[in-house]
Amino acid sequence: MDQVSVARLHVRVEGIVQGVGFRPFVHALAAEHRLAGFVGNDTGGVFVEIEGAGPRLAAFVADLRRRAPALAQVERVTTEPVVPTGQPGFVIVTSVTGAGRTALISPDTATCPDCLAELSDPADRRHGYPFTNCTNCGPRFTIVTDVPYDRRATTMAAFPLCPDCAAEYADPTNRRFHAEPVCCPACGPTLRLVTAGGDPVPGPPLDGAVRWLRDGRVVALKGLGGYHLAVRADDEQAVATLRARKHREEKPFAVMAADLPAARALVDVAPAAVPVLTGARRPVVLLPRRPDAPVAASVAPDNRDLGVMLPYTPLHQLLLGRLGMPIVLTSGNVSDEPIVHRDDDARARLAGIADGFLTHDRRIHVRADDSVVRVFRGRELPVRRSRGYVPAPVTVPWRFDRPVLACGAELKNTFCLAKGRRAFLSHHIGDLENYETLRAFTDGIEHFGRLFDIRPQVVAHDLHPEYLSTKYALRREGIELVGVQHHHAHIAACLADNGEPGPVLGVAFDGLGYGSDGTLWGGELLVADLAGFQRVGHLDAVPLPGGPAAIREPWRMAAAYLDALYGDALPDLPVLRRHERRWPAVVALARSGLNSPRTSSVGRLFDAVSALLDLRDHVSYEGQAAIALEQRADRDERGGYRVEASGPVPLADVGRQLVGHVVDDLLAGVDPGRIAARFHYGLADAVVRAAAAARDSTGLTSVALSGGVFQNVLLLDRVVSGLEATGFRPLVHSRVPPNDAGISLGQAVVAAARHAAG
C-alpha cells in the first residue's frame, strides 16, 4: 500500500449501534471499500480505526450512516485523523469496558424474515426452534445485564456456543456474525411444558400447549419481557374463566393473530396501520373490530375496537401456526400487579390462574409489557410505550446540563433518566398502588442508571404529596428536588415529543392532577413553555362527591353536575331513578364539601355524561366510562352542541352547558349514540373557540394537546381539524403517550429548562 496516499481515521459511532449487527456491517463495509483496521464496542458505542486511500475513507464514513443496519439508529459519527500503521486486514476486536457509559441498548425486536424462513425449513438445523434469532432480530433489552453489549453481559451467558453456532458467530459473511443471543437446539434455551403444580408434561411442549388451548385451558406463556396468559380468542367459556381467575372484570384483552391476513379477519386494517402491525416493534394496535370477527364477546366487552398484535418471537410464530386460530394474550399478573417475569414468581403468582406453563430456561432480566398504540392521521399515537420501543431514548434539541431523574405520576407510571440530549423513558411500570409495583419502579431506576451511567443531580416529581413517586423523590437525600405541576408536565411532554420549546397554548385534559392552587385540575388551557406556565382557562370546578368513590361510580359525577345545573329542580332522568335511594346523600355530600374536593377535570365530565346516557354507572378500570362514551358515539352524526362563551375565563362554563344540552336531548328522546357524538364535537368546538380567544390576547398560534383524554381519537380529530381550519398549528403526541405515561418526560424537560433559565 502506498504510504504517501494512505490515511487513517479514528471513527466513533453513537446511537443504537450495539446488538443490531453494526460491527459485522462495518466489517463488510471495510472489505467492500478495501480498507484495513478494526472495529469494536465500548461503553460509548462503536469505535473504528480505518486505513486506506482518502476517497475510500470518505465513502466508508458516508456509508456508515447511509447504509446502517435496519435496527440501528445512528445519532452521530465523528472522525479524527491518526497515524497510519500499515497493518493489513480488518478485524473485530474485543469490547472495551470502562467508565463514562453512553452506549445505547437496542429494544427487543420481532423475528426477521430470514429467521422465519429457517424456522419453517425442514432442512435447516433451526427448523421449529423457538429461540432462533440473528443480528437483525430477537431479544435485546430484556436480556441485557450490563454494557457494552456482549454475550457475557446478557442472560445468554448461561448458554455456551456449540461448534456450529461458534462458527457462525466468527464468520464475517454470516448474518449471525457477532450476534450475541445466537443459539440453536444444541446449545440454546429449551422449551418446557409443566402443570400448574410444576410437574413436567410428557411429549413435545408445543404440541401439548396447543392441545390445552384447543381444550379451553388457560396457558401461562413465557415471552420476551414476561409471562402472558393465553386462551383461545373464540372460546367464550375460556375467556370468561381467564377473567374470573385474573380478577379482570371488563378491561379489554389483546389478541394475537398469526399474520396480517388473520388480523384482517378480526379488524379493519387501514393502510397506515400495516407497517405498525408488521414492523419490528410489534405493538398491540387498537383497530375497528369487524362485525364478523371470530372473537368471543367478552374479549373486549362493549368495545367497537380490538387490540391486535402479530407474533414477535419464533415461539409465538410456532404456537399460532400450529393452533390455527387467534389467541387472547394478556399480561401474566393478578390485576394491578406488574407483569411476572421471574420463573419462581410466576409459579407462585400464576398457579391459581393458569392450568399450566409453557416456559423455558432463558432468564428475563428486565420485565417489559407489550406496547399499545392507536393510529392517528398516519402516525402512531402511543397509549403504552414499552416492549419494542424501550430503551431507545427520546432525543430532544436541548441539553440536560445536569443528569435528571423524573419520577412520573401515580397511574400508568414511567420514570425518566436524562442526560445530554437523551431522555430514557422507562418501560411501563403500572399504577404505583402496591409494594410489587413500587419495587419494579425502584429496581428499574437502578438498572437504567447503571446501563446508561446516569447519576441524577436533580430529581423531578409531581406536586401531589400522596403519590408514591413523589414520596420516593422526597426521600432522596443530597439532591436537588424540582416539583412540576401535573398539567404543565403534560404540555412539556408534548413539546418534547415534537422537539418544540414553546411558548404555546396548551390544552391539558385528563382525569385528575394536583393543581398549583391545591385543587384538582383536569380541564386546563395554559400558556406554557418548558420552564413555566400560566393558567389562562379551565372548566369551572364541580365537587367530586366521595373523592375516590366518585371515580369508581361515575353516576356521582352526574349528580354533581346536575346539582350545579338545576339545584333541587331536577328533571326526571333515568340516572336519577336508578340511584333514587342514594341520590340525596351524595348531593348533600357534594354541597357540604366534606370528602368532595372540587375538580375541573374533563375526564370526570366524560364520566358524568356516560352515566347520564346509561353507559356506565360503575367502572372496573380507569377511564372505562370515557371509553364507553367514545365507543357509543354515532359516527354518522356530525353536529356538535353549541357552547356559548360566558365570562372572561375560556372554557369556564363548558361542562355545565354540555350537560344541559345532553339532558335536553335525553328528554326529547334523541338516540344516545347521537348525543354522545354531539357531546364530543361540542367539546372539541369549544376548545377551538377557547384557543382562538387566547390567541387574541397572546398572539400564540401553536396549540399542544396532551393528557389522557386525548387518547380519544374522535375528540382529537375534531379538535385538530378545527384548530387547523382556524389557522392554528396543532401539536400532538407520536413518540410518547399523551396519558400519564408521558408525564416523566415532561417533568425531566421542565427541570432542565428551569435550570437553564437560571
Side-chain angles (χ1 to χ4, degrees):
M1 194 178 286
D2 183 358
Q3 291 295 319
V4 176
S5 63
V6 167
R8 189 176 181 92
L9 293 177
H10 178 81
V11 183
R12 172 155 295 283
V13 188
E14 299 174 65
I16 298 180
V17 291
Q18 294 188 12
V20 293
F22 207 88
R23 288 174 298 170
F25 157 71
V26 172
H27 187 282
L29 198 61
E32 177 184 328
H33 290 286
R34 302 196 301 278
L35 299 170
F38 58 81
V39 62
N41 282 344
D42 63 12
T43 52
V46 168
F47 60 89
V48 186
E49 285 208 7
I50 194 76
E51 183 171 326
R56 292 177 185 168
L57 290 178
F60 170 87
V61 172
D63 282 346
L64 282 177
R65 185 187 295 273
R66 184 172 61 87
R67 294 169 54 189
L71 299 182
Q73 295 181 25
V74 177
E75 291 186 354
R76 186 165 64 161
V77 178
T78 56
T79 63
E80 179 184 357
V82 293
V83 177
T85 68
Q87 186 172 356
F90 193 92
V91 296
I92 293 180
V93 299
T94 303
S95 296
V96 178
T97 59
R101 300 173 179 177
T102 57
L104 301 180
I105 305 298
S106 169
D108 303 278
T109 54
T111 313
C112 70
D114 288 335
C115 284
L116 289 177
E118 292 176 341
L119 196 68
S120 60
D121 182 0
D124 194 280
R125 68 190 188 90
R126 290 187 174 87
H127 175 242
Y129 183 56
F131 306 99
T132 298
N133 67 84
C134 70
T135 53
N136 299 318
C137 66
R140 298 292 191 271
F141 171 60
T142 52
I143 64 170
V144 170
T145 59
D146 208 342
V147 292
Y149 177 72
D150 283 307
R151 192 179 183 93
R152 65 177 180 269
T154 73
T155 60
M156 287 300 294
F159 302 94
L161 292 173
C162 69
D164 287 338
C165 285
E168 292 174 329
Y169 185 87
D171 179 2
T173 66
N174 193 287
R175 79 175 195 281
R176 292 191 169 90
F177 185 42
H178 280 256
E180 306 306 341
V182 63
C183 59
C184 74
C187 64
T190 303
L191 200 62
R192 294 179 295 120
L193 183 66
V194 299
T195 66
D199 297 324
V201 177
L206 265 173
D207 291 346
V210 167
R211 185 172 61 253
W212 281 358
L213 288 168
R214 284 179 177 157
D215 290 344
R217 298 192 191 184
V218 179
V219 176
L221 173 65
K222 186 176 181 181
L224 271 181
Y227 279 82
H228 287 85
L229 296 164
V231 294
R232 277 177 47 179
D234 64 344
D235 189 330
E236 181 66 43
Q237 172 102 28
V239 176
T241 298
L242 176 57
R243 284 203 177 279
R245 293 180 184 176
K246 188 175 159 72
H247 304 298
R248 181 164 165 166
E249 298 172 17
E250 296 167 301
K251 192 174 184 179
F253 286 138
V255 173
M256 178 175 278
D259 50 28
L260 185 57
R264 291 189 190 277
L266 305 177
V267 291
D268 292 327
V269 184
V274 173
V276 183
L277 264 179
T278 61
R281 291 168 167 172
R282 295 291 167 96
V284 176
V285 185
L286 302 178
L287 294 166
R289 177 175 176 167
R290 290 177 57 89
D292 57 346
V295 173
S298 58
V299 169
D302 301 321
N303 201 312
R304 69 175 76 192
D305 290 338
L306 197 61
V308 176
M309 60 180 151
L310 301 185
Y312 50 86
T313 72
L315 176 56
H316 293 113
Q317 194 78 36
L318 292 166
L319 184 67
L320 269 293
R322 296 191 188 189
L323 183 63
M325 62 188 71
I327 59 172
V328 164
L329 202 65
T330 186
S331 299
N333 59 3
V334 179
S335 189
D336 298 328
E337 291 186 355
I339 186 172
V340 173
H341 70 296
R342 294 192 175 95
D343 297 335
D344 55 350
D345 205 26
R347 286 191 295 272
R349 295 182 179 276
L350 303 182
I353 304 176
D355 295 305
F357 294 78
L358 184 61
T359 185
H360 56 78
D361 52 354
R362 184 179 70 204
R363 184 167 60 89
I364 299 170
H365 187 66
V366 180
R367 60 166 58 91
D369 277 278
D370 293 321
S371 297
V372 182
V373 305
R374 302 187 85 161
V375 177
F376 176 72
R377 296 195 170 191
R379 296 200 304 171
E380 292 184 24
L381 177 65
V383 175
R384 184 167 72 194
R385 182 182 182 272
S386 199
R387 177 196 50 77
Y389 296 78
V390 174
V394 178
T395 56
V396 295
W398 329 284
R399 287 192 62 82
F400 295 92
D401 292 332
R402 299 177 298 171
V404 177
L405 164 64
C407 296
E410 186 88 334
L411 300 180
K412 299 179 175 65
N413 176 268
T414 63
F415 60 83
C416 182
L417 281 161
K419 68 175 181 180
R421 287 186 169 85
R422 295 169 175 167
F424 295 94
L425 197 67
S426 79
H427 49 300
H428 170 75
I429 302 297
D431 298 346
L432 292 183
E433 296 177 336
N434 54 57
Y435 169 76
E436 288 298 327
T437 314
L438 181 61
R439 182 180 173 184
F441 171 79
T442 56
D443 287 351
I445 291 173
E446 181 180 342
H447 184 57
F448 268 60
R450 184 172 63 254
L451 280 185
F452 304 116
D453 194 28
I454 299 178
R455 298 173 179 84
Q457 297 176 16
V458 181
V459 174
H461 61 86
D462 196 272
L463 298 181
H464 199 301
E466 294 304 312
Y467 281 3
L468 293 183
S469 57
T470 302
K471 292 180 177 180
Y472 169 85
L474 297 177
R475 287 197 301 269
R476 302 275 300 223
E477 296 181 353
I479 204 162
E480 181 181 335
L481 296 176
V482 177
V484 182
Q485 197 279 323
H486 190 92
H487 300 91
H488 182 209
H490 270 310
I491 300 304
C494 187
L495 288 172
D497 196 331
N498 288 275
E500 303 249 353
V504 295
L505 296 174
V507 182
F509 285 177
D510 65 358
L512 293 172
Y514 201 75
S516 51
D517 61 358
T519 64
L520 298 177
W521 294 4
E524 311 308 311
L525 178 62
L526 310 178
V527 170
D529 57 16
L530 296 177
F533 74 97
Q534 179 185 359
R535 191 188 195 200
V536 297
H538 57 85
L539 268 67
D540 278 346
V542 297
L544 193 69
I551 300 173
R552 296 189 299 270
E553 301 178 0
W555 71 269
R556 290 172 178 255
M557 290 310 304
Y561 265 102
L562 291 176
D563 186 57
L565 193 59
Y566 299 104
D568 292 328
L570 286 171
D572 183 22
L573 295 168
V575 67
L576 177 59
R577 294 195 295 272
R578 291 196 304 273
H579 301 282
E580 186 175 6
R581 185 176 59 85
R582 300 175 63 192
W583 196 275
V586 167
V587 169
L589 185 66
R591 292 176 179 177
S592 74
L594 296 175
N595 194 26
S596 298
R598 298 183 70 82
T599 180
S600 59
S601 165
V602 169
R604 302 287 79 84
L605 171 62
F606 268 80
D607 285 355
V609 176
S610 188
L612 283 168
L613 297 187
D614 194 20
L615 300 178
R616 276 285 155 194
D617 282 353
H618 301 81
V619 298
S620 60
Y621 61 90
E622 191 260 340
Q624 186 178 9
I627 291 170
L629 191 60
E630 179 189 3
Q631 295 294 322
R632 189 65 179 84
D634 185 342
R635 298 311 199 256
D636 292 329
E637 174 67 50
R638 301 309 301 166
Y641 295 128
R642 178 72 185 183
V643 178
E644 302 296 336
S646 60
V649 180
L651 296 177
D653 199 38
V654 164
R656 284 194 296 268
Q657 288 191 49
L658 287 173
V659 169
H661 286 305
V662 168
V663 169
D664 289 344
D665 270 359
L666 272 174
L667 294 175
V670 176
D671 178 77
R674 296 182 65 189
I675 296 174
R678 291 173 179 177
F679 167 78
H680 277 83
Y681 299 147
L683 176 60
D685 296 346
V687 168
V688 174
R689 285 194 295 274
R695 178 175 56 190
D696 291 343
S697 58
T698 65
L700 296 173
T701 58
S702 295
V703 183
L705 306 173
S706 193
V709 169
F710 284 114
Q711 291 173 171
N712 181 322
V713 293
L714 183 66
L715 178 71
L716 181 63
D717 185 65
R718 181 79 167 217
V719 171
V720 168
S721 296
L723 289 171
E724 290 173 338
T726 318
F728 283 102
R729 187 172 65 99
L731 303 177
V732 300
H733 286 265
S734 63
R735 293 193 290 171
V736 300
N739 60 41
D740 281 6
I743 283 279
S744 60
L745 174 63
Q747 292 170 343
V749 295
V750 168
R754 287 184 185 172
H755 179 258

